[in-house]
Amino acid sequence: MRAGSRWAVRIGAGLLVLIGLAVLLLAAFPWGLFKGRIEDRLSERIGKPVTIGAMVREDALSFHPVVRLTDMRVPQPDWAPGSGDLARVGEARVGFSALALLTGGPVLETLELRRARLSFYRAADGRESWSGERSRADDSKGKRPALRSLTVSDSRIAYRDDKRGRSIDAALIVDGRGLRLSGSGDVRGHPVRVTASGAPILGHQAGARWPFKAEIAGDAVGMTFDGTMDGPLDIGHLRGKVTGHAIDLRVLDAIIEAGLPGTQPVRLTAQVVRDRPDWTVERLKGTIGRSDIAGHATIRKRDGRTRIDGAIHAGRFDFDDLSSNEGKRKAAAKRAQSGDRLVPDTAIDLSRMARTDGRLALRADKLLWPGSSPFRSLSGTLTLERSRLVVEPLRMDLTRGILSGRLSVDQRQGGPRLDLALNLRSARLLDFFPETRIDGGLVGRIALNGSGRTIRQAVGRSSGTIALVARDGSIPARTAALMGQDVGKGLTVDKDKMAVLRCVVARFDVTSGVARANPVLIDTSRAQTRVTGTIRLTDEVMALTMSGTPKHGSLLRLSGTVPIGGTIKQPDIRVPAEVRSTKGILKMIGKAIAGDKVPRAADADCEGLARSAMR
């Protein structure tokens, strides 16, 4: 053998000996020497001193060593209430893969806990006692646990969440029969029982799904999850059926944390899949009050943002079901104080959704109302991207006709800014005001832009235009005569007799929340009426003046103008004093006897006025 070959053999043998010694050292390493290092790393993460009474390796030679730790104590952070510990463990036996420490694979394999007391706390500001000062949100795919065995005895878990208003104190047992958790707690002050169970972990076949069931049971709120995980305790990868009920969706949201509002009582079922960090919700069905809903959604978390895409369909839907009883009481108190309003006080503040994006298709086949309403169904697509919400297309089918267009809320430059662009077509005036018996084909448009945290507040500060045009209809003859200020015929004409409604043209130019009539005209076969003045949209108070001119001879005519005050929902037509007094009526009779010299109104150019109003 050549000298060079002998050197190569010697070097190879030496390397094999070194590798063998390293492997032997790894298999026999005294892991208890790391006690101080583990204490330091945990203390650094939590910000409090973590102590371990003793840490000893139980076996002598293995690549899967078992280490026993006793009297382990992890204090709560200083800001957490109370003086207890975050974790206190009487004894823990930990088995792990020594080779995985080098390769980066799953490390923990077996865990046995005795006399463990775990007490987790989340503050109202979102701080978590178990996360440590340096914790960060993790949107990455979670590693699947490699646990082959878990045993827990004589142990309890306590959890208190002041941010969501929930708590639990439960006993935990894990043995050859499986996992069992049982205890009590509360959700927003409502008492609940909490139970969970899972299949045995010891002997679980790798790659097989691990069945489990969890339940929160209470009269006011409850939820169950019956499904499987990809492996034992793999909460990042699970699927199953979820059911939930609550007196208010906001109460149920204390469990699921989706930012849902207060509502009427709710019952829901769905099939869900979690593939951390994403959720998929399929076959969602349920009721909210007297509304029924169905749909699906996907929830994805990336780079600290949440994206929700899906669809919701309601066979029957009542907007009032989106208010809790508490919300309804507050709304009623507000109405009692400020009066009934036309513009809704719906919140449009997107600040709580600053990190949420998505696209949601909505459809309601039948809209339910407490009284009569021409609005029959609703459909639209909501798109939310970085604090800008757009509902387009937006469509509401009426008894006759369609209201469609676009609504957007832009909060990228500070407070919410509302932009409304709606068009009304093929509608009928009678469907909106059936008690008046006034009918005609109706079209309209609304184009408003304003800032505010509710629709009412934004409209009250808006600028733009509001236009309505009704054509070729009918109107009670008495009403037509009175609008022409012909008091005599307004009181004597047969109440069933009808006149022709040639047109109603109403355009309001809106500036800084003040709507100015430009023009408002009502033209009938009996008279022509003009309305001037303003409507203050902040409180819907009207300051209008009406003047009417007959097209034929009048019996007893009211001279001058008629002021209209009050609000849009509760107008106050201030009848002049002369109509309410004997002297005034005698004066009108005298004028009638002397001869009616009032100019007659001609037919208005309805086509031209309508075109101008809708421009």
Side-chain angles (χ1 to χ4, degrees), residues 502-513:
R502 299 189 66 250
C503 63
V504 176
V505 179
R507 177 187 171 96
F508 290 90
D509 294 329
V510 184
T511 303
S512 300

Side-chain angles (χ1 to χ4, degrees), residues 524-537:
T524 72
S525 57
R526 286 186 171 270
Q528 187 177 109
T529 305
R530 293 182 179 272
V531 178
T532 59
T534 61
I535 301 175
R536 193 172 61 214
L537 298 180

Side-chain angles (χ1 to χ4, degrees), residues 28-212:
F29 192 84
W31 295 102
L33 296 178
F34 276 93
K35 171 179 171 293
R37 181 61 175 163
I38 292 174
E39 289 176 329
D40 292 342
R41 290 292 298 272
L42 289 175
S43 299
E44 180 184 1
R45 176 176 177 80
I46 296 174
K48 296 284 285 184
V50 175
T51 59
I52 301 172
M55 180 174 171
V56 180
R57 177 169 180 165
E58 291 190 344
D59 57 333
L61 185 67
S62 173
F63 292 118
H64 300 276
V66 176
V67 175
R68 183 165 62 90
L69 302 91
T70 57
D71 297 327
M72 184 174 179
R73 178 175 176 265
V74 182
Q76 292 279 12
D78 288 335
W79 50 265
S83 57
D85 294 324
L86 172 64
R88 195 167 191 116
V89 181
E91 181 180 344
R93 297 179 69 250
V94 182
F96 58 94
S97 169
L99 294 175
L101 291 173
L102 303 178
T103 62
V107 175
L108 187 63
E109 295 177 333
T110 64
L111 177 63
E112 182 178 336
L113 298 176
R114 295 190 183 94
R115 303 184 308 281
R117 300 292 183 268
L118 309 178
S119 183
F120 303 115
Y121 173 70
R122 179 158 71 165
D125 60 8
R127 288 181 296 174
E128 299 167 336
S129 66
W130 64 92
S131 296
E133 299 296 331
R134 299 185 179 184
S135 66
R136 293 290 185 269
D138 182 10
D139 294 339
S140 62
K141 294 280 185 180
K143 293 183 178 179
R144 290 173 168 81
L147 270 177
R148 296 196 303 266
S149 175
L150 172 66
T151 303
V152 180
S153 60
D154 189 19
S155 298
R156 297 192 71 85
I157 294 178
Y159 172 61
R160 174 180 157 191
D161 187 338
D162 286 348
K163 182 177 181 179
R164 295 295 176 183
R166 59 192 182 186
S167 70
I168 178 179
D169 187 347
L172 175 64
I173 299 174
V174 184
D175 54 23
R177 296 167 52 197
L179 178 148
R180 300 179 302 286
L181 180 143
S182 178
S184 61
D186 78 279
V187 177
R188 293 195 182 276
H190 302 288
V192 294
R193 288 288 302 172
V194 181
T195 58
S197 60
I201 297 174
L202 182 63
H204 179 79
Q205 183 179 356
R209 302 198 63 80
W210 186 69
F212 76 100

Side-chain angles (χ1 to χ4, degrees), residues 343 451 455-462 512-514 536-539:
V343 181
S451 61
I455 292 180
R456 181 178 296 169
Q457 193 178 76
V459 169
R461 300 171 178 172
S462 66
S512 300
V514 177
R536 193 172 61 214
L537 298 180
T538 50
D539 51 12

Side-chain angles (χ1 to χ4, degrees), residues 275-404:
D275 186 16
R276 185 184 180 193
D278 301 334
W279 289 89
T280 302
V281 181
E282 296 288 351
R283 288 183 276 174
L284 172 67
K285 292 183 179 180
T287 60
I288 302 176
R290 58 177 186 159
S291 304
D292 61 76
I293 60 171
H296 61 87
T298 57
I299 302 97
R300 298 180 176 88
K301 293 181 179 290
R302 298 291 186 275
D303 302 322
R305 299 189 67 80
T306 299
R307 181 173 184 87
I308 304 173
D309 295 292
I312 297 293
H313 170 231
R316 294 155 46 94
F317 183 74
D318 185 348
F319 283 100
D320 279 351
D321 287 335
L322 297 182
S323 295
S324 64
N325 290 336
E326 178 186 359
K328 287 185 174 183
R329 284 193 295 268
K330 289 181 178 178
K334 197 169 186 178
R335 282 196 302 271
Q337 182 179 10
S338 60
D340 201 9
R341 302 286 184 83
L342 177 67
V343 181
D345 202 27
T346 307
I348 55 173
D349 189 350
L350 303 176
S351 57
R352 292 187 178 182
M353 306 184 74
R355 293 187 172 274
T356 301
D357 306 308
R359 184 181 179 89
L360 193 64
L362 299 176
R363 188 173 93 245
D365 296 335
K366 183 178 181 180
L367 297 177
L368 306 177
W369 305 97
S372 62
S373 171
F375 296 99
R376 293 290 177 259
S377 63
L378 167 70
S379 63
T381 299
L382 283 70
T383 304
L384 178 63
E385 295 289 343
R386 297 187 178 272
S387 298
R388 183 171 182 262
L389 172 68
V390 177
V391 186
E392 186 180 25
L394 171 62
R395 172 175 172 140
M396 297 187 78
D397 290 306
L398 311 175
T399 306
R400 290 173 287 184
I402 298 168
L403 178 67
S404 62

Side-chain angles (χ1 to χ4, degrees), residues 372 428-440 442 470 473-480 482-483 495-499 501 504 522 568 571 573:
S372 62
R428 301 296 299 184
L429 196 60
L430 186 66
D431 296 333
F432 285 87
F433 310 103
E435 67 281 355
T436 67
R437 298 167 57 209
I438 303 174
D439 196 17
L442 182 65
S474 60
I475 182 173
R478 281 190 176 185
T479 302
L482 288 171
M483 295 184 74
K495 65 178 182 179
D496 294 325
K497 189 173 183 179
M498 302 298 289
L501 176 70
V504 176
I522 303 167
I568 297 174
I573 301 176

Side-chain angles (χ1 to χ4, degrees), residues 516-578:
R516 185 173 298 279
N518 184 31
V520 173
L521 179 139
I522 303 167
D523 195 53
T524 72
S525 57
R526 286 186 171 270
Q528 187 177 109
T529 305
R530 293 182 179 272
V531 178
T532 59
T534 61
I535 301 175
R536 193 172 61 214
L537 298 180
T538 50
D539 51 12
E540 301 183 11
V541 169
M542 298 190 295
L544 302 173
T545 300
M546 181 176 69
S547 59
T549 305
K551 292 186 174 181
H552 310 289
S554 57
L555 191 58
L556 293 175
R557 185 178 184 279
L558 174 66
S559 60
T561 60
V562 178
I564 303 175
T567 64
I568 297 174
K569 294 279 282 186
Q570 295 178 323
D572 177 19
I573 301 176
R574 299 162 190 168
V575 179
E578 59 218 70

